[in-house]
Amino acid sequence: MTDLTIFMLQTWGALPEVLRFIVVTTLKIFGIILPLIIVVAYYTYAERKVIAFMHARMGPNRVGPMGILQPIADTLKMLLKEVIVPANANRFLFVLAPVISLIPALAAWAVIPLNETFVLADINAGLLYVLALTSMGVYGVILGGWASNSKYAFLGAMRSASQMIAYEIAMGFALVGVLMAGGSLNLGEIIRAQEGTVLSWFWLPLFPLFLVYLISGFAETNRSPFDVAEGESEIVAGFHVEYSGIAFGIFFVAEYANMVLIAALTVILFFGGWLSPLQGIPGLKDSILAQPSFGWLASKMLFFMFCFLWSRATFPRYRYDQVMRLGWKVFIPITIAWIGVEAVMSYMDIGPWA
Amino acid sequence: MPEIQNLTMNFGPQHPAAHGVLRMVLEMDGEVIQRADPHIGLLHRGTEKLAESKPYNQSIGYMDRLDYVSMMCNEHGYVLAIERLLKLTPPKRAQYIRVMFDEITRILNHLLWIGSHSLDVGAMAMFLYAFREREDLMDCYEAVSGTRMHATYYRPGGVYRDLPEKMPKYQPSQYRKDKDLKRLNEARSGSLLDFIEDFTDRFPKLVDEYETLLTENRIWRQRTVNIGVVSPDRAMQLGFSGPMLRGSGVLWDLRKHQPYETYAELDFDVPLGVNGDCYDRYLVRIEELRQSNHIIRQCIEWLRSNAGPVMIKDHKVAPPERLEMKDDMEGLIHHFKLFTEGYCVPEGEVYAAIEHPKGEFGVYISSDGANKPYRVKIRAAGFAHLSSMNEMVQGHMLADMVAVIGTQDIVFGEIDR
């Protein structure tokens, strides 16, 4: 060891415990957030490319080879544009709204276990924390719509508010099912409870809940076919119609970060998180593919992220009241019924929850 | 307690679903529309008045710009009116070419309709699929007239020129792979008729493709079934025509009931709706796509086996051949007179209507015997349809209004004129 390294290690050791913890945690936070932001940026690029191919067109192909620099150019463009605050808008809330919608989408990553060991905050109430934070995000939408002082934005905010309530409940019930099956609120524990083969992941025993959760996730993130809060052809852009420049950009990032988050949660709760699908197959026991790893988590997430894009390219948009009907009259009864079935089965010690 | 008021909202004219420059003042009770008040005139260009100040032939180009998604059909109505005043009949081949291009135009129009209608309802893919096919048909326009949209191809006495023997081809581009280039140019290697025939071979399958995305789609049905219902009686009272009328179950098609050109010789069916809602009108238009395709095939067959002139020989109305004009003094005089003064039309009035993709497109011309019309009145189908907007959307939600605008297939060029 050189003198310099020794010196640095000594200085590090001399720091108070709290300071060391803060530094390490901050570094970890950056380690999660920065790649996440890059993923989000390239998710927008992927969306444009994937949808373009589904639409028989080319997508962005001018900035850099195959348009690979497009997200960077977009960000630059938005940063350089003026943020226009409409007359009679509530300035404070107007600026606050995009921030409120972005922060929960990023903060929720604190409890997401990326592999068997790495998780920023391994708290016991991880699932509750996620639920609490994701429901915070809607305040950004509501505030943004309200503070804009525009009728289109107002309608978008109203739609979003009622939609969120409906789907938050369905989503919550779906999570109750997972909680009962997993026996813990800690996301890592939930994944460990799914250990075994592909068939022991929760998607099979909790299939109705999985579908409800995934579709509610689409609704929660305001994605097609539930994008009534933005409803381009009806209320133009809904809640963010008055936003421009980077304020709009932040809403945009928040939406995509939420999609990534929902994809991650779907994988963790129903598809065994970092577990390998090849696990439990006798011949492959020692192969590297059968080991749990971050790679599996990422590739499963990619599939669900692709589903978001796929549905956007395919489906027409629901009408507002139809979205409500689906949430209240279809999803909530389904989840309640399945929780009942699950409870009875686990009480009688039958099925996978025995 | 403050008094509760309805929300008044401005819809358009810069709204993405406004199909151009539709402006509506909506009175809404929450999401439910109480009253819709369409405002028109933002695209008024005074076509009728302009036509009064120009020789007859020079106004054909204005007709293209009326309903700018079904260009040649507009020309057809105008040209037909002039021909009736002049009491001349174009050669048979010209009539078949007109019918063929009318049907190509109908497909062009319905493709744009299906694209924008489903885009309004939220299905993005349809829009681009429809435009992919429109591109081919635009190429037919280009091959025959030199422009992709505003063709000015129909002339009193026939059509501007015969169908070309070869199609323009795509050039290599750094953004297009060689394989794609080859595929695109393959159909373009023969004559225009070969190209159109190739299109009609492909097209029914493509319509099936559209239908797989929409017809049985639950969301699509939820958004269109029982939306904007118009009873058959009411549809007639409101002056509906075309697919809007047939969607309500009224059998009325000018191609069948007042045949013009060669429609009487062609075999085709007229689809009818039952419930008069957006979904039925959707089905009617989809079937019209297939029927148009069928008509085009019959025209191709006829045109292949029957050569002949495409313009009458009367040089008072039709320009002489280029060669004749250069060689012959008389030809030169005819050419000069036709392109400066035009021709005089006998005194009288005429109304000529055709089955436009959107409905009945009629042109009324009143002539005082001069080389310009004394008065031109255009009957645009969309105008009557738009005036029923309030009735069709009352009690529906905001999102349904967008579906109704889509189903009415509104184009402001013809409404504002």
Side-chain angles (χ1 to χ4, degrees):
Chain A
M1 264 193 272
T2 61
D3 291 346
L4 187 65
T5 20
I6 291 167
F7 170 73
M8 283 177 61
L9 280 174
Q10 275 172 350
T11 325
W12 177 247
L15 286 174
E17 185 84 8
V18 185
L19 203 59
R20 271 192 288 176
F21 175 74
I22 289 174
V23 168
V24 169
T25 311
T26 314
L27 284 178
K28 275 188 187 169
I29 290 174
F30 277 108
I32 294 174
I33 298 289
L34 287 182
L36 185 65
I37 295 284
I38 292 169
V39 167
V40 166
Y42 276 89
Y43 194 20
T44 64
Y45 171 75
E47 166 164 52
R48 294 176 64 179
K49 272 291 188 196
V50 167
I51 293 184
F53 288 134
M54 287 181 180
H55 286 169
R57 57 192 170 90
M58 290 183 193
N61 64 353
R62 300 294 152 123
V63 192
M66 289 170 66
I68 202 90
L69 297 178
Q70 188 69 42
I72 294 163
D74 284 342
T75 318
L76 268 179
K77 179 197 75 177
M78 283 195 289
L79 280 170
L80 293 173
K81 276 184 152 181
E82 184 187 356
V83 178
I84 301 166
V85 182
N88 294 326
N90 185 324
R91 245 194 129 76
F92 175 68
L93 290 181
F94 188 82
V95 177
L96 186 69
V99 181
I100 288 189
S101 68
L102 179 63
I103 288 176
L106 300 180
W109 283 88
V111 293
I112 304 285
L114 295 177
N115 64 21
E116 267 176 299
T117 47
F118 186 81
V119 49
L120 186 64
D122 197 12
I123 56 176
N124 282 329
L127 201 55
L128 283 182
Y129 173 84
V130 169
L131 205 56
L133 275 179
T134 47
S135 51
M136 280 292 290
V138 65
Y139 284 99
V141 173
I142 296 172
L143 283 179
W146 174 259
S148 300
N149 188 34
S150 153
K151 284 170 181 170
Y152 285 102
F154 178 65
L155 274 178
M158 289 299 104
R159 286 176 172 197
S160 179
S162 40
Q163 182 187 339
M164 288 291 171
I165 292 170
Y167 283 84
E168 199 75 46
I169 293 174
M171 208 173 194
F173 275 130
L175 295 187
V176 169
V178 175
L179 169 64
M180 285 163 68
S184 169
L185 278 169
N186 182 302
L187 294 175
E189 289 302 317
I190 290 175
I191 296 177
R192 283 184 199 101
Q194 302 180 47
E195 208 137 357
T197 58
V198 178
L199 298 179
S200 67
W201 293 353
F202 286 158
W203 67 273
L204 188 62
L206 301 179
F207 193 68
L209 296 186
F210 158 62
L211 285 185
V212 169
Y213 181 83
L214 188 65
I215 298 172
S216 304
F218 280 43
E220 193 87 340
T221 47
N222 279 328
R223 292 294 294 184
S224 166
F226 304 100
D227 52 349
V228 289
E230 286 170 43
E232 203 230 322
S233 57
E234 297 147 28
I235 48 173
V236 192
F239 61 93
H240 60 61
V241 68
E242 301 289 346
Y243 281 87
S244 60
I246 199 66
F248 162 76
I250 290 176
F251 268 127
F252 204 70
V253 171
E255 181 182 330
Y256 284 79
N258 266 320
M259 282 153 66
V260 180
L261 181 69
I262 293 287
L265 283 173
T266 313
V267 170
I268 287 170
L269 300 175
F270 297 97
F271 279 82
W274 61 70
L275 297 175
S276 160
L278 303 174
Q279 192 186 23
I281 295 173
L284 293 163
K285 207 161 200 164
D286 300 320
S287 120
I288 192 157
L289 285 177
Q291 304 308 314
S293 73
F294 172 70
W296 285 115
L297 180 76
S299 45
K300 288 180 220 168
M301 270 171 65
L302 281 179
F303 172 74
F304 286 105
M305 283 157 72
F306 174 74
C307 287
F308 275 97
L309 311 183
W310 190 5
S311 83
R312 173 161 174 209
T314 315
F315 290 124
R317 182 183 305 115
Y318 269 112
R319 199 172 62 205
Y320 167 63
D321 61 318
Q322 291 161 349
V323 172
M324 287 290 125
R325 194 186 58 202
L326 188 69
W328 288 104
K329 295 192 179 164
V330 180
F331 284 175
I332 294 180
I334 286 181
T335 46
I336 291 178
W338 199 253
I339 289 172
V341 170
E342 204 184 326
V344 170
M345 281 170 82
S346 96
Y347 182 73
M348 315 233 327
D349 275 352
I350 44 175
W353 304 288
Chain B
M1 273 270 291
E3 206 183 321
I4 295 174
Q5 276 188 326
N6 281 338
L7 179 75
T8 306
M9 226 172 77
N10 248 320
F11 183 95
Q14 290 109 331
H15 192 281
H19 286 211
V21 288
L22 170 61
R23 177 180 172 223
M24 285 212 275
V25 178
L26 301 175
E27 197 181 305
M28 316 238 310
D29 177 11
E31 284 265 335
V32 181
I33 296 167
Q34 302 295 326
R35 198 170 56 85
D37 184 9
H39 287 212
I40 59 165
L42 288 152
L43 199 59
H44 177 65
R45 292 156 300 179
T47 307
E48 292 170 0
K49 196 72 192 164
L50 278 168
E52 288 172 20
S53 62
K54 285 186 161 51
Y56 282 92
N57 266 13
Q58 292 185 18
S59 298
I60 302 175
Y62 285 128
M63 300 301 144
D64 284 313
R65 288 153 179 82
L66 285 173
D67 176 359
Y68 42 77
V69 287
S70 35
M71 295 68 73
M72 286 200 195
C73 284
N74 304 331
E75 289 173 20
H76 201 167
Y78 179 68
V79 167
L80 208 61
I82 299 174
E83 280 170 0
R84 288 198 185 152
L85 269 177
L86 288 168
K87 297 200 174 51
L88 51 87
T89 321
K92 194 91 183 192
R93 188 172 166 84
Q95 294 190 9
Y96 264 101
I97 292 176
R98 283 185 186 180
V99 167
M100 184 173 79
F101 269 95
D102 271 11
E103 297 307 318
I104 286 179
T105 309
R106 197 179 310 280
I107 293 180
L108 267 176
N109 177 78
H110 284 3
L111 281 177
L112 188 103
W113 156 78
I114 199 179
S116 53
H117 185 23
S118 45
L119 184 69
D120 287 349
V121 177
M124 228 193 320
M126 283 304 307
F127 187 71
L128 291 138
Y129 293 162
F131 266 70
R132 181 184 57 192
E133 273 71 75
R134 267 173 67 85
E135 200 59 33
D136 286 344
L137 296 175
M138 291 283 196
D139 285 350
C140 299
Y141 263 50
E142 189 177 349
V144 89
S145 74
T147 50
R148 287 159 51 83
M149 286 186 77
H150 304 304
T152 329
Y153 180 56
Y154 297 2
R155 303 286 164 90
V159 293
Y160 165 61
R161 63 169 189 163
D162 206 348
L163 303 173
E165 281 309 310
K166 70 176 206 268
M167 283 290 289
K169 292 190 182 58
Y170 278 101
Q171 299 298 311
S173 144
Q174 59 164 316
Y175 295 113
R176 188 175 282 126
K177 293 192 189 82
D178 288 344
K179 204 177 68 189
D180 290 338
L181 189 72
K182 219 171 181 178
R183 179 177 53 81
L184 285 167
N185 280 339
E186 200 182 310
R188 288 172 170 78
S189 50
S191 70
L192 173 65
L193 277 178
D194 294 334
F195 180 72
I196 299 176
E197 189 168 26
D198 176 68
F199 178 83
T200 56
D201 286 340
R202 285 183 286 132
F203 191 59
K205 278 192 216 84
L206 296 167
V207 179
D208 292 342
E209 200 179 298
Y210 306 153
E211 286 211 80
T212 55
L213 272 173
L214 296 178
T215 307
E216 294 297 325
N217 187 323
R218 288 175 66 107
I219 305 178
W220 177 256
R221 293 184 73 147
Q222 284 186 19
R223 287 297 306 276
T224 52
V225 173
N226 279 329
I227 304 297
V229 180
V230 184
S231 70
D233 289 339
R234 194 63 193 138
M236 284 196 278
Q237 285 165 359
L238 287 166
F240 278 12
S241 49
M244 290 289 288
L245 186 64
R246 293 193 285 274
S248 293
V250 182
L251 182 59
W252 180 251
D253 188 325
L254 293 177
R255 294 175 295 176
K256 279 273 191 225
H257 295 94
Q258 302 175 357
Y260 50 96
E261 308 297 7
T262 61
Y263 277 114
E265 299 164 21
L266 294 163
D267 163 57
F268 63 99
D269 295 330
V270 179
L272 281 186
V274 177
N275 303 315
D277 56 7
C278 290
Y279 188 67
D280 279 21
R281 289 187 282 267
Y282 156 78
L283 292 177
V284 164
R285 288 193 173 107
I286 288 283
E287 185 54 32
E288 283 191 11
L289 282 175
R290 297 184 193 279
Q291 293 300 330
S292 292
N293 197 60
H294 184 51
I295 297 174
I296 294 174
R297 290 193 71 95
Q298 297 170 48
C299 292
I300 293 172
E301 206 174 306
W302 193 94
L303 287 168
R304 276 198 201 286
S305 47
N306 295 279
V310 293
M311 196 70 166
I312 50 163
K313 286 279 173 264
D314 179 0
H315 293 326
K316 297 281 182 243
V317 178
E321 294 277 312
R322 191 90 189 147
L323 208 67
E324 205 179 317
M325 189 261 279
K326 293 281 184 192
D327 277 357
D328 182 28
M329 190 62 210
E330 193 128 336
L332 185 62
I333 294 169
H334 274 133
H335 186 271
F336 178 73
K337 290 284 272 183
L338 188 66
F339 283 97
T340 51
E341 185 190 56
Y343 44 84
C344 289
V345 165
E347 226 170 292
E349 295 176 2
V350 73
Y351 176 76
I354 60 147
E355 186 67 27
H356 188 270
K358 293 190 167 58
E360 177 178 335
F361 177 85
V363 175
Y364 166 84
I365 297 180
S366 169
S367 162
D368 56 359
N371 61 345
K372 301 169 202 161
Y374 176 72
R375 174 81 169 93
V376 175
K377 169 78 180 77
I378 294 157
R379 187 228 186 255
F383 187 78
H385 299 156
L386 182 67
S387 55
S388 72
M389 179 61 84
N390 185 34
E391 200 174 316
M392 283 177 84
V393 299
Q394 232 163 39
H396 282 313
M397 302 189 92
L398 181 61
D400 295 331
M401 195 198 61
V402 177
V404 170
I405 295 178
T407 197
Q408 288 191 345
D409 195 7
I410 285 172
V411 165
F412 259 75
E414 62 162 7
I415 292 171
D416 286 345
R417 298 195 277 279

